[in-house]
Each structure stands twice: as C-alpha cells, then as structure tokens.
Amino acid sequence: RFPVRSLGETSRLRFLIGPAASGSWWTEVQMGPPDPILGVTEAYKRDTNSKKMNLGVGAYRDDNGKPYVLSCVRKAEALITSKMLDKEYMPIGGLGDFNKACAELALGPDSEVLKSKRSITVQTISGTGSLRIGANFLTRFHTVARDVYLPKPSWGNHTPIFRDAGMQLKAYRYYDPATCGFDFTGALDDISKIPEHSVIMLHACAHNPTGVDPRPEQWKELSAVIKKRKLLVFFDMAYQGFASGDIDRDAWAVRYFIEQGHNVLLSQSFAKNMGLYGERVGGFTVVCADAEEAKRVESQLKILIRPIYSNPPMNGARIASTILSTPELRSTWLEEVKGMADRIIKMREMLVTNLKKEGSTHNWQHVIDQIGMFCFTGLKPEQVERLTKEFSVYMTKDGRISVAGVTSGNVGYLAHAIHQVTK
Amino acid sequence: MSLLCHMTESILYSWWTEVQMGPPDPILGVTEAFKRDTNPKKMNLGVGAYRDDQGKPFVLSCVRKAEAQIAAKKLDKEYLPIGGLAEFSKACAQLALGPDNEVLKSGRNITVQTISGTGSLRVGANFVSRFHNASRDVYLPKPSWGNHTPIFRDAGMQLKAYSYYDPKTCGFDFKGALDDISKIPEKSVIVLHACAHNPTGVDPRPEQWKEMAALIKKRNLLVFFDMAYQGFASGDIDRDAWAVRYFIEQGHNVLLSQSFAKNMGLYGERVGGFTVVCKDAEEAKRVESQLKILIRPIYSNPPMNGARIASTILNTPELYKEWLVEVKDMADRIIKMREMLVSNLKKEGSTQNWQHVTDQIGMFCFTGLKPEQVERLIKEFSIYMTKDGRISVAGVTSANVGYLAHAIHAVTK
C-alpha cells in the first residue's frame, strides 16, 4: 500500500467545502461580449409586430421567407442513401472525389494548374475551417511576413481567424461610403504601400459585408500592383455561382490572378451556393510552383489538420461531390444556384423601384450595383435604429441588410420604411 | 528569403520552397504495406476502427434507423449554433455523467458539440491554453494516443508525462503512476483515459482510480478526461463512465472529451462533445461564452448530420435500447477474440504468459511483442501491426484468430 494522505489532512485543500470540493478553475474567465448579429436575431424573435423583417440573416431564404434545401441536394442524398455506404473515416485531407471536383469548380476543368497537378486541395469545415487552415499554414510556413491585409471592411470573423492563428491584422481601403461603392483609388494607393511578401486577402466575388466587387478592368490593375508588390494572395470565395448566377463569371478573378502567375491560396465554401450550411462543406487550395511542391505542402497540411480535427465530416462532402460529378444533378444545381442569385437580384431591383415609387429622391443605384447576399444600404446608425424601433425592420448597425431576407411580399414595406427614415 | 522566379510569360513565385516533406504517417504506412501484400492470409491489425466477424466495417442498425427517421422529417440544413445541436449536447452530457447527476441538475456544466474526440480535445487544449494561466504543462500517461501530443503542443501547451504502462507485466504501473503524479506541480493539467486506454488497453482498477483521485486532488491538478470508448470497453456505458463520475463526485471539476466514433460507429460523421464541469451555473455561462468565442474562428459551427443521428438515438427510447445492445455486442466480440487468441496460443503450445491479452480492454492490445518479432510477423506471416506491438483486436475474427495465434507462437517460442 502506498501512503496517501486522506482528505482534510492537508491545509492545501482549502477549496474543500462540504462533501465535495468546489474548486473553481475558471474564476478569472470573463463573460464574453454578446454576439452583435445574434443580438439582432434575438430582438427580432421577441418582436410581436406581424410586419417584422429579419434582414440580419446570413442564409438564403426563398420568396416565402423560408430556408431552402436545393432539390439537387435532396436527390443527391437519396442517391447516397441507396448506396448504403459505410461511415469509415475520411482521409485527413478529406474525400478525394470531392477535392478534385471542388478544385475544378473553382479553377475550371481545363486549368493548367490542374493539368500539371501543381495544386493541393483539401476538404475543410466549410469556409471558416478553410480560412483557419490557411491561416495556420501561413503562420507556420510563411515566415517572411506576419501581416495579413484585409479589405476595409471585411467579414467580421476574418479578424479572429487570422489573429488566433498568430497573424497580425492590417487593412487596405476598399469601401467608399461616399459612393457606397468601390474605393478603387484608395485600394490601389494602400496596396502599393504594402510591404513585400505580406498576405493580402481578396474576396473573389460578392464582397461580404458590402456587396461591392471590383469590375474586371479594376481586378486587372489590382492583380498587376499586387504582383509588383510581391504579395501572397489569399482568395476567399464563399459565393461562387451565388453572386451573378454564373459559376465561371464569379470565379473569373481567381482564374485571372492564377493565369497572371499568382500562386494563390483559396478558400471555398458550399454553404450558400449549395445551401449546405450546417453540413460544413468547403475546400482549401494552395497553388504551388509544381507538383513536387504540392506534395510537400500536402504533407504539411495533413500534419497541421490532424491535431485540429483528424479528418473532416463526410456527409456534406458526399452530397457536394455527388452533385458536381453527376451530370443531371450538376445541371440542376447550376439552374438552382442561378435561381437563388436571380431572386436576390430581383429583390434589389424591386427595392429600388419601390423606393422611387415611395417618392425617394436619394440615389439608390448602389443597391443594384452591389452583388450577392448583402447590401450596404448607406443608412446611418440613427436611421437603422428608427427602422428597428418604428418599423420592426432588423439589420446590423452598419446599415447592412441581407437581401435574402427580402421577399416580393415584404419589399414594399421595406421600401416604405427606408423612405420614412431617409426623406 | 529565397524566391524561385521563373521568368516566362507569367511570373511564378514559389512561396513554399522551404516547406519540407513531412514524415510519413506510421499507421498509414502499415495499411499501405498491407494493401500491397498479395498473401490471402494477410491481416491488418493496425486498423483503428471496429470490424465485424467477417472483417467488414459495421454500421449499427440503430444508426440506420435514426437516419431513416431524420430523412423522413425533411429537416433543413440551417447552421447549428456555435456550440452545436442543443439536444445532442444535453444527451451527450447525460450519457457521460448519468441522467441524475448533481452537476446536470445544478446546470454547472457546459457541454458543446465538437468534431469528434480530436475536435473536442483541441477545443479543450485551446481553452486551457487561453484561460488556464496557472500552468502551461499537460501530463500525459506514458504511452498515450499519438495525436494527444501535437494537439496540446499546437495549442500552446507543454507536454510532460507520468508513468503508466509497465512493459514487464504488460499492465498498469500503479506504483510508478502514483510516484510520478505525487511530484506533478500544482495546477498542472493531467490527462486521464476514462476507459480502454489507447494504445495499451490497460485500465486502472476501481480501487486504483480511487487512490489516484485522492492524490490528484491533493496535488490540486486540473483533470482532463478523454473518454473515446464509453460502452465500447466493457459493454456497459455506466461501468465505462465510472471513473469520470467518481472523480466528479470527489469534487474534481473536470474537463471531458467524448467521442461517438467507436461506440456508435459514427467515425466519419465526426460526433463528439467537450464538457467543462464548473463551480456553478454562473461560471458555466461565462465559460460557455468564451468557448463560443474560441470555436467561431476555427470552424464557426459544427457539422449537423452526425449529431442529429446521435441525438435521435440517445433521445428515442427504442433506439437507445437497441444501441446499448449493439455496443455491448461489439464489446463482447472484442472480448471473445481476446479469449480465443489466448486459448489458441495455449493450443499452439505457447508457454508465455498471455494473461494481459484478456486483462486489457477495448480496441487495442499491447501484445508485448518486440520490434524484431513484429517484423517477422509482417514479413513471414503478412500480419500487420505497429512496431510497438500494438494490435487492433477489432481486426481479429473467428476465422483468422487461429492463424494469428500460430504466427505469434512461431515468433515467440
């Protein structure tokens, strides 16, 4: 027997109170700040006004305001179920068929990168998981620079993703509140001063949160100055197909940059364009100098991923892979994603038409010029507050609305409310 | 900084010239060699997943039923909350702690859905790294699951170890463990495998757990339980969770990682939970808020499919009963293979002491075979295992256990 002091004998057990010790390890842990977007949704839920609108929602809604599961997804699920597949672990880098289809979707099936096998694509936990893997990879292997330059503004989660991974956050001008458009001059100016080898994050299409995208000729100039500055490009493409309705058009900037010689990092998400939100489907790609480098990078990605989650979830990747590689499902998907994009575009147009009908004399062109799920209305915080309090129209304080929350049934009410607070 | 520039029509920069090829994965190497082998009698005993008596992957029938129920509901695919599916997290905590546990009644735990066991451990490691400022050290048993080390290291903790496995007995080095634990600096983190220790299969007995609990409390250590095999070890979910529940009763406010990969066969669906047992409900709320802040920039919210399946099983009485039967069957088959291996070794005429094969518990067995013997098993008999002599008992079937015994006897006589 080994002498072990019984409870209570030692004075170090000062946490011993009653039959069980109630030591607290987490006394110093502070309550975290409330999530701003969650706050919007909670206030919306409490509101009893029958005309209430939730324009904070970051997920697509159909014209009845309901969540939408794509029919190609349901069909893919039925196909998968009928195969009675097992549930064995995926490889660390995920489902091979998915990775291949994911890369082809982004780069185009005839991409020289794919032919020469000089890229590595791994399945990730949607867009966030992809960005974080990329951020961790940069911290570990891009030792020449610690700085990541985000557009101003950018998706809120970009900042903690890169910061928690160990990078430093910086910014380049992007949104021009004076025009509710792209601050092209400001962006070029800032980018021309970014130290060499820094990482620059670009939203491939449907910039979140502003909806403001560069035009092709602007992308070309951006590409040239970024190449001149020798920056490492990290594309975030969360809306391919969902922005314009055309998957090739939405991927144009990514493909152009690659053609111009940028060996980019790329995050893809299938949350919105396939409606696979909670299934967590995404990809992370590193375009390398050659196939040999791609192999080395792949080995290190696996070493990085294994102690985060070992291997990715199978279900969503099987669905996405089935859709992308089954011709009828793929064409159904292309129609459905265009359907979603078209509805969003239509709501933008109807909002502007209705604002004009209300008698608004403001320039609302930006509502139609902007693209994707979100719209930076240009509304000021006081106006947003009035919209919430007087009309039960909920959005984030920066005036961002999710166009997905607009329907033909409520667009008139929205226009009326916006006119009231801006006239 | 060397940038490799090819001046052609496009300038190709190589950002990753300095990135080295990583070392090959040892277990993967075993499987690849196995695949290349043309010997019809070959056996893959490296596999870390359950196999039925035909050597095939096994999807539980309660899982198939749960899937059918879920499909019929035509649910949407909206994002789960950051902390996951609430009905899952609740049932997950109840499974571990027991439904009448005082911790659950007082609401002083926070349980979040995670990406299986690995995801749970990493969230825990990140949480400890960020908020457990009193110590940077995590003590693992020697040996432990290989992935524990990079999980805690990449999260920013320092790895240390306490004695655990005794190669002389192929059993628990109780004296060595107590001795090492008694010297661990206060407030360090200590990882304990709740049941079916991986890779050795060696678990403390209840009276040994009791002494460890007392000593760990005396040393004022932060306990982190890894429970990847609840139900899968002994066939009894309460028995397998006994150590976790005992420690909590004794006042340890533990961290706990759970996995449903093995006990529900949900491997690739990635279903798990991470629990922090707090002082009270108020502390649990603060901890919850910080867990969400930590999780959001890693993957935003967890995958829905597997959690829906597990939740359906745990919350539907007939499915839950069926699951208990199926997990017991899996555990029983493993136990039977252990017994058959030992009786076959005796039949072969082996005079070695193979008691540890039946004493050890769970998926894995530390045979005690030496590297040279393992090498012979691979080369002469096409029986594949890791160099440390660990076999996955799940890869043993009634059809091949005789061959395995014959081979092991041949290299150890």
Side-chain angles (χ1 to χ4, degrees):
Chain A
R1 282 196 61 80
F2 308 103
V4 174
R5 296 224 184 92
S6 62
L7 300 176
E9 274 185 28
T10 168
S11 61
R12 274 187 291 190
L13 285 170
R14 57 184 175 276
F15 292 120
L16 182 63
I17 298 165
S22 47
S24 165
W25 295 106
W26 315 113
T27 314
E28 309 304 319
V29 173
Q30 303 295 315
M31 180 66 84
D35 183 287
I37 294 175
L38 204 69
V40 168
T41 300
E42 313 230 297
Y44 167 83
K45 284 186 191 166
R46 287 192 297 265
D47 194 320
T48 50
N49 184 346
S50 55
K51 287 176 170 271
K52 66 182 181 178
M53 289 176 69
N54 186 357
L55 301 182
V57 65
Y60 181 77
R61 294 287 177 264
D62 66 14
D63 203 45
N64 298 305
K66 297 273 174 281
Y68 172 56
V69 178
L70 280 64
S71 104
C72 63
V73 167
R74 289 293 186 219
K75 290 185 171 125
E77 288 185 303
L79 271 179
I80 290 161
T81 302
S82 66
K83 288 184 186 169
M84 292 308 247
L85 300 169
D86 63 39
K87 294 191 183 294
E88 295 297 290
Y89 291 126
M90 297 276 101
I92 298 171
L95 186 62
D97 293 337
F98 167 78
N99 294 336
K100 189 161 182 290
C102 178
E104 276 179 11
L105 178 66
L107 272 38
D110 299 320
S111 165
E112 159 275 323
V113 166
L114 298 178
K115 289 187 157 84
S116 53
K117 299 192 193 309
R118 66 180 182 93
S119 62
I120 171 61
T121 299
V122 291
Q123 177 193 338
T124 56
I125 301 167
S126 208
T128 303
S130 175
L131 289 161
R132 182 57 176 267
I133 295 298
N136 282 141
F137 187 77
L138 287 168
T139 301
R140 183 171 285 184
F141 293 106
H142 187 62
T143 46
V144 291
R146 276 294 78 143
D147 295 335
V148 177
Y149 283 76
L150 301 179
K152 214 181 328 184
S154 195
W155 181 43
N157 207 19
H158 277 148
T159 295
I161 287 171
F162 285 100
R163 189 192 55 212
D164 284 7
M167 303 296 285
Q168 301 267 33
L169 274 308
K170 299 242 163 55
Y172 58 93
R173 272 172 289 166
Y174 189 83
Y175 178 72
D176 185 350
T179 60
C180 295
F182 183 35
D183 181 1
F184 185 42
T185 313
L188 286 178
D189 194 36
D190 282 355
I191 292 171
S192 69
K193 295 168 179 148
I194 295 179
E196 287 198 356
H197 308 143
S198 303
V199 179
I200 182 167
M201 161 113 330
L202 302 171
H203 294 222
C205 59
H207 181 272
N208 180 356
T210 68
V212 168
D213 285 352
R215 290 190 305 272
E217 58 271 23
Q218 293 171 323
W219 274 125
K220 288 178 176 176
E221 287 202 53
L222 288 167
S223 166
V225 75
I226 287 168
K227 196 192 293 189
K228 191 152 160 237
R229 296 306 303 148
K230 297 192 175 65
L231 307 179
L232 171 48
V233 172
F234 196 150
F235 267 110
D236 184 356
M237 184 156 70
Y239 298 98
Q240 186 185 7
F242 193 91
S244 71
D246 180 329
I247 51 159
D248 297 310
R249 188 163 155 184
D250 290 346
W252 181 85
V254 173
R255 296 175 189 180
Y256 177 79
F257 269 63
I258 291 173
E259 274 166 40
Q260 294 301 304
H262 297 273
N263 285 348
V264 306
L265 305 174
L266 168 65
S267 285
Q268 290 168 262
S269 167
F270 290 84
K272 284 80 168 177
N273 62 6
M274 278 193 188
L276 291 175
Y277 304 95
E279 299 278 0
R280 317 310 288 130
V281 192
F284 175 65
T285 295
V286 183
V287 177
C288 300
D290 52 40
E292 187 272 340
E293 182 166 281
K295 284 282 159 213
R296 285 184 281 112
V297 167
E298 178 184 20
S299 75
Q300 294 296 344
L301 281 171
K302 285 155 72 170
I303 287 170
L304 196 144
I305 289 170
R306 174 85 161 124
I308 304 179
Y309 53 84
S310 280
N311 45 77
M314 62 186 1
N315 197 250
R318 281 175 167 171
I319 295 171
S321 178
T322 301
I323 290 170
L324 292 171
S325 21
T326 311
E328 324 89 67
L329 293 187
R330 193 188 174 102
S331 20
T332 301
W333 173 57
L334 292 176
E335 281 171 24
E336 289 188 284
V337 75
K338 184 173 191 309
M340 291 192 285
D342 284 351
R343 195 185 88 69
I344 299 280
I345 289 164
K346 180 137 199 252
M347 290 304 105
R348 291 176 179 277
E349 289 163 0
M350 283 181 75
L351 178 56
V352 174
T353 307
N354 276 273
L355 280 161
K356 286 176 176 155
K357 269 203 300 198
E358 288 281 328
S360 179
T361 52
H362 289 288
N363 178 2
W364 296 106
Q365 185 60 32
H366 56 282
V367 172
I368 297 175
D369 288 346
Q370 289 169 11
I371 191 169
M373 176 121 35
F374 300 110
C375 168
F376 247 33
T377 55
L379 291 165
K380 302 185 187 356
E382 324 77 72
Q383 295 167 325
V384 171
E385 176 122 7
R386 285 189 63 197
L387 278 174
T388 304
K389 285 192 160 32
E390 295 174 35
F391 297 93
S392 297
V393 173
Y394 291 81
M395 64 187 69
T396 44
K397 278 207 299 276
D398 54 10
R400 181 193 86 163
I401 61 170
S402 170
V403 186
V406 182
T407 68
S408 31
N410 64 26
V411 66
Y413 178 70
L414 176 61
H416 174 76
I418 290 177
H419 178 55
Q420 293 310 304
V421 306
T422 57
K423 65 186 180 189
Chain B
M1 152 78 190
S2 63
L3 277 183
L4 184 69
C5 300
H6 293 289
M7 302 298 285
T8 55
E9 261 144 33
S10 50
I11 299 172
L12 296 173
Y13 284 99
S14 166
W15 296 105
W16 315 113
T17 314
E18 309 304 320
V19 172
Q20 303 294 314
M21 180 65 84
D25 183 287
I27 293 174
L28 203 69
V30 167
T31 300
E32 314 229 298
F34 168 81
K35 283 185 191 167
R36 285 192 298 264
D37 194 320
T38 50
N39 183 343
K41 287 176 169 269
K42 66 182 182 179
M43 289 176 70
N44 186 357
L45 301 183
V47 65
Y50 180 78
R51 294 287 176 263
D52 65 14
D53 204 46
Q54 274 73 52
K56 298 274 174 281
F58 174 55
V59 178
L60 280 65
S61 122
C62 64
V63 167
R64 289 293 186 218
K65 289 185 172 130
E67 288 185 305
Q69 274 186 25
I70 290 161
K73 287 185 187 168
K74 295 252 172 270
L75 300 168
D76 63 41
K77 294 190 183 294
E78 294 298 290
Y79 291 125
L80 288 179
I82 298 171
L85 185 64
E87 311 92 78
F88 166 77
S89 302
K90 188 161 184 281
C92 178
Q94 279 181 1
L95 178 66
L97 272 37
D100 299 319
N101 197 291
E102 157 274 321
V103 166
L104 300 176
K105 289 189 157 85
S106 53
R108 68 182 182 94
N109 69 298
I110 171 59
T111 299
V112 291
Q113 177 194 338
T114 56
I115 301 166
S116 207
T118 303
S120 175
L121 289 161
R122 182 56 177 268
V123 166
N126 281 141
F127 185 78
V128 162
S129 189
R130 182 173 284 184
F131 293 106
H132 185 60
N133 302 311
S135 173
R136 286 296 72 187
D137 293 335
V138 176
Y139 283 76
L140 300 178
K142 213 181 331 182
S144 195
W145 180 44
N147 207 20
H148 277 147
T149 295
I151 288 171
F152 285 101
R153 189 192 56 214
D154 285 6
M157 303 298 286
Q158 301 268 32
L159 274 309
K160 300 242 163 53
Y162 57 94
S163 299
Y164 188 84
Y165 178 72
D166 185 348
K168 289 200 296 297
T169 61
C170 295
F172 183 35
D173 181 4
F174 184 43
K175 179 170 187 293
L178 288 179
D179 196 39
D180 282 355
I181 293 172
S182 70
K183 295 169 180 146
I184 295 179
E186 286 204 0
K187 304 192 180 172
S188 304
V189 179
I190 182 168
V191 171
L192 302 172
H193 295 221
C195 59
H197 180 272
N198 179 357
T200 68
V202 167
D203 285 352
R205 289 191 305 272
E207 58 270 24
Q208 294 172 322
W209 273 125
K210 288 178 176 176
E211 288 203 53
M212 288 167 70
L215 177 59
I216 287 167
K217 195 192 293 187
K218 189 162 159 225
R219 295 305 305 147
N220 202 15
L221 307 179
L222 172 50
V223 172
F224 197 149
F225 267 110
D226 184 356
M227 183 155 70
Y229 298 99
Q230 186 185 7
F232 193 91
S234 71
D236 179 329
I237 50 153
D238 296 309
R239 189 164 154 182
D240 290 346
W242 181 84
V244 173
R245 296 173 190 182
Y246 178 78
F247 269 65
I248 290 172
E249 271 166 43
Q250 294 302 304
H252 294 273
N253 285 346
V254 306
L255 306 173
L256 168 65
S257 285
Q258 291 168 261
S259 167
F260 290 84
K262 283 82 168 176
N263 63 6
M264 278 193 188
L266 291 175
Y267 304 94
E269 300 277 2
R270 317 311 288 129
V271 192
F274 175 65
T275 295
V276 184
V277 177
C278 300
K279 176 164 161 280
D280 51 39
E282 187 271 340
E283 181 166 281
K285 284 282 157 214
R286 284 184 282 112
V287 167
E288 179 183 21
S289 75
Q290 294 296 345
L291 279 172
K292 284 155 71 170
I293 287 169
L294 196 144
I295 287 170
R296 173 86 162 123
I298 305 178
Y299 53 84
S300 279
N301 44 77
M304 62 186 2
N305 197 249
R308 281 175 167 171
I309 295 171
S311 177
T312 301
I313 291 170
L314 293 172
N315 292 309
T316 310
E318 324 88 66
L319 291 185
Y320 183 70
K321 272 209 304 248
E322 188 170 355
W323 173 57
L324 292 179
V325 170
E326 293 192 275
V327 76
K328 184 174 190 311
D329 284 347
M330 288 194 285
D332 284 350
R333 194 185 89 69
I334 300 279
I335 288 164
K336 180 139 200 257
M337 289 305 104
R338 290 177 180 277
E339 289 164 359
M340 283 182 74
L341 178 56
V342 174
S343 59
N344 273 274
L345 281 161
K346 286 178 177 154
K347 270 201 300 197
E348 288 280 331
S350 179
T351 52
Q352 314 274 353
N353 178 2
W354 296 106
Q355 183 63 32
H356 55 283
V357 172
T358 41
D359 284 348
Q360 289 169 10
I361 191 168
M363 176 120 36
F364 300 111
C365 169
F366 247 34
T367 55
L369 290 165
K370 302 183 185 359
E372 324 78 72
Q373 295 166 325
V374 171
E375 177 120 7
R376 284 189 63 196
L377 280 174
I378 295 173
K379 287 194 159 29
E380 296 174 36
F381 296 92
S382 297
I383 293 173
Y384 292 81
M385 65 187 69
T386 42
K387 278 206 300 277
D388 54 10
R390 181 194 86 162
I391 61 171
S392 170
V393 185
V396 182
T397 68
S398 31
N400 65 26
V401 66
Y403 177 68
L404 176 61
H406 174 76
I408 290 178
H409 176 56
V411 307
T412 56
K413 62 186 178 190

